[in-house]
Amino acid sequence: MTDGIGLTGARILLKRLRNVMARGGPAQMRLDQTVKLIAGEMVAEVCSIYLLRAGEVLELFATEGLKKEAVHKTRLRVGEGLVGDIASHARPLALADAQHHPQFAYRPETGEEIYQSLMGVPILRAGRVIGVLVIQNRTRRQYSEEEIETLETVAMVLAELVASGELVSQDELRPGDGIALLPIRLDGITLCPGLARGVAVLHQPTLQLLNLVAEDPAREVERLTAALSEMHSSIDALLSAGDIAGHGEHFEVLETYRLFAQDQGWRNRMMEAVQSGLTAEAAVQKVQNDTRARMREVTDAYLRERLADLDDLANRLLRHLLGADVPSTRRLPDEAIVVARAMGPADLLDYDRTRLKGLVLEEGSQNAHVAIVARALDIPVLGRCQDLMQKVGDGDPLVIDGDNGTLFIRPSDDLLQAFTESMRQRLMKREAYEAIRDLPAVTTDGIKVDLLINAGLLMDVPQLAATGAAGIGLYRTEIPFMIAHEYPDVTRQTEIYSKVLDGAGDLPVIFRTLDIGSDKVLPYWKRDPEENPAMGWRAIRIALDRPAMLRQQLRAMMNAASGRKLSVMFPMVTEIAEFDSCRRLLDLELQRQARRNIPLPSEVRVGAMVEVPALLWQLPELLPRVDFLSVGSNDLQQFLFAADRDNPAAAGRYDTLAPAMLRALAEVARAASEAGKPLGLCGEMAGDPLAAMALLCLGYRALSMAPPRVLPMRATIRGLDFKGLRGYWQTVRHLDGPSLRSALLDYASDHKIPL
């Protein structure tokens, strides 16, 4: 490296910078001293610091080399110019010819037109960009990787000064909502249903790092090694708590978390950072910042969720390194709702579960590890609440409506009264549902309907008893694959399926073979990105291209069902030949088991899911081959209307009670009835009371739904007079219009049917 800074120079710069940060005096003065120091040590004519202000604006706060009158006057929007681009992507940028870059934005008041090259890095705090640090040179300079890393480390030091609030108040960055104390409503997604009321407790694990430059690298290696050992021991103790230890997916999630903590790659990257001259705690922070920057570009939801686990581990390790309080249980007010950008599963377990009433996340998904653990603890959880951390203050009163995916911040008295009434009504409904839990789902004139549950986790199986469901109409086998740290072998799969069957007892269970692909990814399985994954390589298409995978799964199911009935269903069947191929693989496994004298299931029933519209015109050929059919209403609807159900702009555009959908469902019911084959329906439609009324009229007698919908649906069924409903249906089913929903709602209202 002919220009710039080497390893020794980087250490000297960091030590001098630490001295500047440690001095007293105004923060602006220290910032001015900092840019002068960096420019000198990094052989740059310009060093500038831009800080984020309200309205997503980056303001020039300090400079060495640009015109001083531009300070506090030059502003760039996030995404505008090279500085704005660095902020919007949270990644470094190094250019030998910056002025000819398409993103270059000229600001005449700065005088920067004479500078050719530019290198900038984001100033990050808790994973968020709070500013940008830039150096510039007159000549075209090729900045090295070492220089970029040095500037990133310098930015870590600056982040502590910026985050103090002396330069930009944290209140300024909180978006205004009229009068600040007015109630605010945020919409999110339900990760665990329920209602909760409490005060906000901000989950802020970020710790202040005071020492970033190592005086003795060997000593820092010892400190990091000792802290890792302490952390492993504390995690072991945490995960052995009586109310969380045991079996089930939540326990597997925690075991996966434990393996993350022991990952050698993570450890090695931190050790390399220590060897470069950082303290152990600075090394932990740098590795996590690097990981966050890379993950910003990842669109895969599952992989992004794993970042929360890594954040959790990094902060846990920092607490051990800094000697910060690592309590066995974090104290909470009597009724607390924890608010976080994201959270790992072990962090949730740090809180006093007797006082924890709910959890709200700015990020999060149904498969987030923390959500799975929260479900095991029966804690209402909301996710994807945009700008949550900017709008909620510590101690703010909160109300979670987990049933409708809504958070109320600083709720009004009227809203609190409504919440109290909702809780009362909820309790009354729960008591009413409990009273009919063990009663059959039969209409007033004797039409019986089997109400089953959809499941995908072992913790769902006890819902059979809790709801009085008639069985599991859909067991999604892919979810245990998605939360495991490696592909489950036949032994592990057999264990899972055995526990499902054991938990179901004499009740039927329909296992759907792996429906991976689309939005359901396996973190340990690398695959090329797809333009339209929902209609791409997924489900049965993957299984037939990877027959060994399907055979192993079928083998595990047969082992688990030894001496018991086994029902297997293939998803995403598009052509008869696909079903035939899957059936042949199943027969090969049966023959294999027989040759080895392995006990077989007492009966094997094989079915197909009707999800792809093309199958509607192949039912006469398909029905003689299957033992049962199940309509997958979610995918059938999205493919029938060519409307991506994960796209908010299209998902709600078409109704399940639209004429086209109802005619497709009617055709499946007619064909199955004529062939004498059992027919069910699973998906969100099954749990919708108005849709269920239509399905009964079409001939469906088995509906599989989310467990919380079973008891309300039983109340709806028991309140129906089928003969009267059928007569009304005949009068409205040919009405013009986009949906029959309003007509069915009128009938339910007129006849006081519980919905």
Side-chain angles (χ1 to χ4, degrees):
M1 182 167 54
T2 57
D3 294 313
I5 191 168
L7 179 59
T8 301
R11 290 179 179 175
I12 293 172
L13 169 58
L14 291 172
K15 288 181 180 179
R16 291 179 177 174
L17 184 59
R18 182 178 60 184
N19 292 334
V20 170
M21 292 294 106
R23 292 173 193 162
Q28 180 67 56
M29 181 185 73
R30 284 180 280 162
L31 210 61
D32 293 336
Q33 293 171 346
T34 295
V35 291
K36 186 173 183 178
L37 173 64
I38 297 171
E41 294 293 337
M42 298 202 70
V43 196
E45 282 84 29
V46 173
C47 177
S48 305
I49 295 173
Y50 296 80
L51 300 185
L52 187 68
R53 304 213 67 159
E56 296 290 289
V57 171
L58 293 156
E59 179 180 312
L60 179 62
F61 256 70
T63 186
E64 173 68 19
L66 299 184
K67 294 180 180 179
K68 295 297 184 182
E69 53 266 31
V71 173
H72 298 305
K73 292 182 181 178
T74 295
R75 291 189 168 198
L76 294 161
R77 296 186 307 276
V78 171
E80 180 185 11
L82 297 174
V83 171
D85 185 72
I86 293 167
S88 66
H89 292 95
R91 64 187 179 198
L93 190 63
L95 300 168
D97 185 9
Q99 294 194 20
H100 290 92
H101 191 279
Q103 281 287 102
F104 181 77
Y106 177 55
R107 289 290 187 269
E109 72 272 13
T110 64
E112 64 181 331
E113 66 272 12
I114 62 174
Y115 302 107
Q116 294 292 315
S117 51
L118 175 147
M119 176 172 66
V121 299
I123 302 173
L124 299 166
R125 175 71 173 177
R128 293 183 179 277
V129 175
I130 58 175
V132 175
L133 172 61
V134 176
I135 63 171
Q136 293 172 269
N137 285 86
R138 292 176 184 265
T139 59
R140 294 192 178 188
R141 174 175 169 184
Q142 298 291 339
Y143 297 101
S144 68
E145 288 293 328
E146 290 86 350
E147 289 173 313
I148 294 173
E149 288 190 7
T150 297
L151 205 62
E152 287 180 314
T153 305
V154 169
M156 286 174 54
V157 179
L158 285 174
E160 301 303 322
L161 175 61
V162 176
S164 69
E166 295 178 67
L167 294 161
V168 179
S169 169
Q170 295 301 311
D171 291 336
E172 178 187 324
L173 300 178
R174 187 186 295 267
D177 292 89
I179 299 173
L181 295 180
L182 282 179
I184 301 173
R185 167 181 169 158
L186 291 182
D187 292 323
I189 62 170
T190 298
L191 305 185
C192 189
L195 298 178
R197 174 182 174 182
V199 297
V201 175
L202 299 186
H203 177 70
Q204 296 175 315
T206 303
L207 300 169
Q208 185 174 10
L209 307 187
L210 299 177
N211 298 316
L212 294 143
V213 184
E215 299 289 346
D216 181 358
R219 171 60 184 151
E220 297 305 312
V221 169
E222 292 177 3
R223 290 182 62 230
L224 183 56
T225 301
L228 282 165
S229 178
E230 290 174 8
M231 184 184 73
H232 293 157
S233 297
S234 69
I235 290 173
D236 290 342
L238 180 69
L239 304 193
S240 64
D243 63 341
I244 202 69
H247 300 286
E249 273 73 19
H250 69 279
F251 190 70
E252 184 162 329
V253 159
L254 296 171
E255 283 296 318
T256 301
Y257 177 87
R258 194 199 308 263
L259 289 172
F260 276 170
Q262 297 169 347
D263 181 69
Q264 279 299 120
W266 183 51
R267 178 192 180 101
N268 291 342
R269 288 192 296 275
M270 291 187 291
M271 289 297 181
E272 288 171 5
V274 167
Q275 295 294 348
S276 73
L278 297 180
T279 60
E281 51 266 34
V284 174
Q285 188 69 68
K286 182 180 186 306
V287 169
Q288 193 58 13
N289 282 343
D290 291 346
T291 303
R292 273 205 155 275
R294 290 196 306 272
M295 293 291 278
R296 279 178 66 95
E297 304 303 318
V298 174
T299 58
D300 185 287
Y302 185 91
L303 294 178
R304 286 185 64 83
E305 287 299 340
R306 300 295 68 75
L307 184 59
D309 297 354
L310 293 172
D311 277 343
D312 187 337
L313 284 169
N315 284 299
R316 192 172 294 273
L317 182 55
L318 283 173
R319 290 204 296 270
H320 284 282
L321 280 166
L322 298 173
D325 186 24
V326 189
S328 57
T329 302
R330 294 184 189 174
R331 292 187 177 181
L332 293 173
D334 288 340
E335 293 185 331
I337 294 177
V338 172
V339 176
R341 179 185 53 77
M343 183 183 284
D347 256 355
L348 181 65
L349 299 181
D350 281 339
Y351 288 101
D352 181 352
R353 269 109 60 198
T354 64
R355 298 185 174 194
L356 180 60
K357 302 302 179 185
L359 172 65
V360 190
L361 302 172
E362 190 166 303
E363 300 177 4
S365 74
Q366 292 284 353
N367 296 318
H369 282 174
V370 70
I372 292 170
V373 173
R375 280 176 225 146
L377 299 174
D378 195 25
I379 298 170
V381 184
L382 290 184
R384 296 188 196 169
C385 291
Q386 189 173 3
D387 296 328
L388 174 71
M389 300 304 290
Q390 294 176 319
K391 294 186 176 181
V392 175
D394 203 37
D396 277 347
L398 301 178
V399 167
I400 293 177
D401 181 355
D403 296 336
N404 297 300
T406 305
L407 173 71
F408 296 96
I409 306 167
R410 299 183 294 275
S412 64
D413 290 341
D414 289 346
L415 195 146
L416 288 175
Q417 289 178 4
F419 171 81
T420 302
E421 178 62 19
S422 294
M423 288 294 287
R424 189 182 72 82
Q425 294 288 342
R426 186 185 181 90
L427 181 60
M428 289 176 59
K429 280 187 176 181
R430 182 176 294 179
E431 291 173 349
Y433 293 153
E434 284 295 321
I436 64 170
R437 181 185 61 186
D438 298 323
L439 299 178
V442 178
T443 64
T444 58
D445 51 347
I447 302 299
K448 182 176 181 294
V449 182
D450 287 331
L451 301 181
L452 306 107
I453 65 169
N454 301 330
L457 299 168
L458 290 175
M459 69 179 69
D460 294 330
V461 178
Q463 292 297 317
L464 287 169
T467 62
I472 298 177
L474 171 65
Y475 187 85
R476 302 182 179 98
T477 59
E478 62 273 2
I479 295 181
F481 284 70
M482 292 167 64
I483 64 176
H485 66 280
E486 61 183 2
Y487 192 90
D489 59 15
V490 173
T491 300
R492 177 61 184 136
Q493 291 184 56
T494 301
E495 180 185 356
I496 294 171
Y497 306 143
S498 294
K499 289 178 179 177
V500 173
L501 292 170
D502 291 344
D506 295 331
L507 298 177
V509 177
I510 297 177
F511 290 103
R512 182 179 70 185
T513 58
L514 281 178
D515 186 5
I516 53 176
S518 186
D519 59 337
K520 291 170 283 190
V521 299
L522 307 184
Y524 38 80
W525 192 2
K526 304 300 181 185
R527 51 179 296 176
D528 295 330
E530 299 181 69
E531 288 292 332
N532 195 341
M535 294 193 292
W537 196 53
R538 58 173 288 200
I540 195 174
R541 298 166 184 175
I542 294 177
L544 291 177
D545 288 347
R546 302 286 187 271
M549 180 183 71
L550 178 57
R551 289 191 64 171
Q552 288 177 4
Q553 185 175 32
L554 294 171
R555 187 181 309 160
M557 291 177 182
M558 292 175 189
N559 290 339
S562 175
R564 297 183 281 195
K565 293 181 180 179
L566 173 63
S567 295
V568 178
M569 179 165 62
F570 298 117
M572 199 74 178
V573 177
T574 306
E575 295 180 334
I576 301 299
E578 292 175 336
F579 179 83
D580 288 344
S581 296
C582 289
R583 184 66 192 252
R584 279 194 294 272
L585 293 176
L586 185 146
D587 290 339
L588 287 173
E589 280 304 313
L590 286 171
Q591 295 166 16
R592 177 185 181 278
Q593 299 286 86
R595 286 197 307 271
R596 300 185 176 212
N597 294 319
I598 299 173
L600 296 171
S602 61
E603 178 185 355
V604 178
R605 299 170 67 247
V606 185
M609 290 195 77
V610 181
E611 302 172 278
V612 182
L615 204 58
L616 297 174
W617 289 275
Q618 302 173 73
L619 292 174
E621 294 79 21
L622 176 66
L623 281 161
R625 292 167 158 85
V626 302
D627 298 308
F628 64 92
L629 279 184
S630 183
V631 175
S633 63
N634 294 351
D635 269 331
L636 180 61
Q637 180 183 0
Q638 93 164 329
F639 296 142
L640 191 65
F641 293 115
D644 183 356
R645 59 192 168 108
D646 292 324
N647 183 336
R653 186 176 292 267
Y654 306 101
D655 196 342
T656 52
L657 296 179
M661 184 73 172
L662 293 174
R663 287 172 190 169
L665 292 169
E667 176 58 24
V668 179
R670 183 199 61 77
S673 177
E674 290 180 358
K677 296 297 172 73
L679 172 66
L681 182 141
C682 52
E684 293 179 14
M685 192 176 186
D688 176 355
L690 295 177
M693 291 165 60
L695 291 168
L696 261 63
C697 292
L698 294 176
Y700 290 80
R701 297 294 181 267
L703 305 176
S704 189
M705 62 203 72
R709 296 303 309 158
V710 173
L711 290 174
M713 187 61 70
R714 178 176 279 108
T716 297
I717 299 298
R718 291 182 62 83
L720 281 174
D721 173 73
F722 180 71
K723 184 177 180 181
L725 173 63
R726 176 73 177 175
Y728 178 76
W729 174 259
Q730 296 297 338
T731 66
V732 300
R733 65 191 180 98
H734 294 303
L735 288 177
D736 289 336
S739 172
L740 291 181
R741 186 168 297 276
S742 60
L744 289 170
L745 183 59
D746 289 342
Y747 181 87
S749 178
D750 291 343
H751 293 79
K752 295 181 171 54
I753 297 169
L755 298 179

